[in-house]
Amino acid sequence: MITSTLSQQLRKAHHVVAFTGAGTSAESGIPTFRDALTGLWERFDPAQLATPEAFRADPSLCWGWYEWRRQKVVQAQPNGAHLAIAELASHVPKMTVVTQNVDDLHERAGSQDVIHLHGSLHSPRCIDCGLAYTLPLASYDLPAEGSRIEPPRCSACDGYVRPGVVWFGEMLPEDAWSAGLAAAEECDVFLSIGTSGIVYPAAELPLRALGNGATVVHINPARFDISSQEHFLEGPASVMMQSLLRDAFG
Ligand code: APR
């Protein structure tokens, strides 16, 4: 199924980047950002929930939505794609995982030093002074979709604690962005897995990799246009990553 050229390139690669998006976690049952707005959340626009202004206007509505998403992640398990990505690291000299996802499924599958371009559901901080909130977050039965939950307060300044994700209109964390960019420019194989590639600046990474001569492979069940130098593996991330691994390393 996988071309032998691709397997060969993976075998001789020095540095492989796995760049992942919502599609990589889809098979773990994590709804994508837009899919997450179902049920009682259906009447909300993402822009009403995922901005600093939205949080300040209605902290418990916003926090309730993110806590609902975080609970979904806590209850989910890494899927075959996360596991194959983690295993790939043991076959190549250097591997970097750069994700747009705010879950921790790569880490739980065994990937190390994962670069989170869009932050994480698991690293809340104070919206006013930025202090990391280190107390364990409440663990409860999945709150009913639509539940408001009062956010905790910062121990230093009493500000509200906000989710550690990147919201619309916010900058990407500088360290993550520069590390992701450096990996894209240095790698020789760049696997773009389960991402629509339309959200910038993250979507610039495959272009940077291509511009620097890397083999760029898109893995997605939904076909989209690519340039003649890129490759497309059409199918679910778990299936395609497992067969890429098998074809390249047996
Ligand atoms: N395997 C691989 N890809 C899949 C699968 C699957 N099983 N299921 C769906 N996909 C693909 C879809 O075809 C789509 O191209 O995953 C992609 C998901 O696209 P988006 O929802 O746009 O997710 P992503 O690319 O991660 O979006 C980037 O946008 O919503 C914001 O901040 C959020 O990080 C997110 C960013």
Side-chain angles (χ1 to χ4, degrees), residues 14-15 17 94 96 181-189 208-209 212 214:
H14 296 291
H15 183 181
V17 168
K94 185 170 177 190
T96 307
L181 208 52
E185 288 177 345
E186 200 223 51
C187 70
D188 34 26
V189 175
R208 291 294 184 105
N212 281 275

Side-chain angles (χ1 to χ4, degrees), residues 166-179:
V166 176
W167 280 330
F168 290 114
E170 292 188 316
M171 302 284 287
L172 268 50
E174 213 175 299
D175 293 359
W177 177 241
S178 49

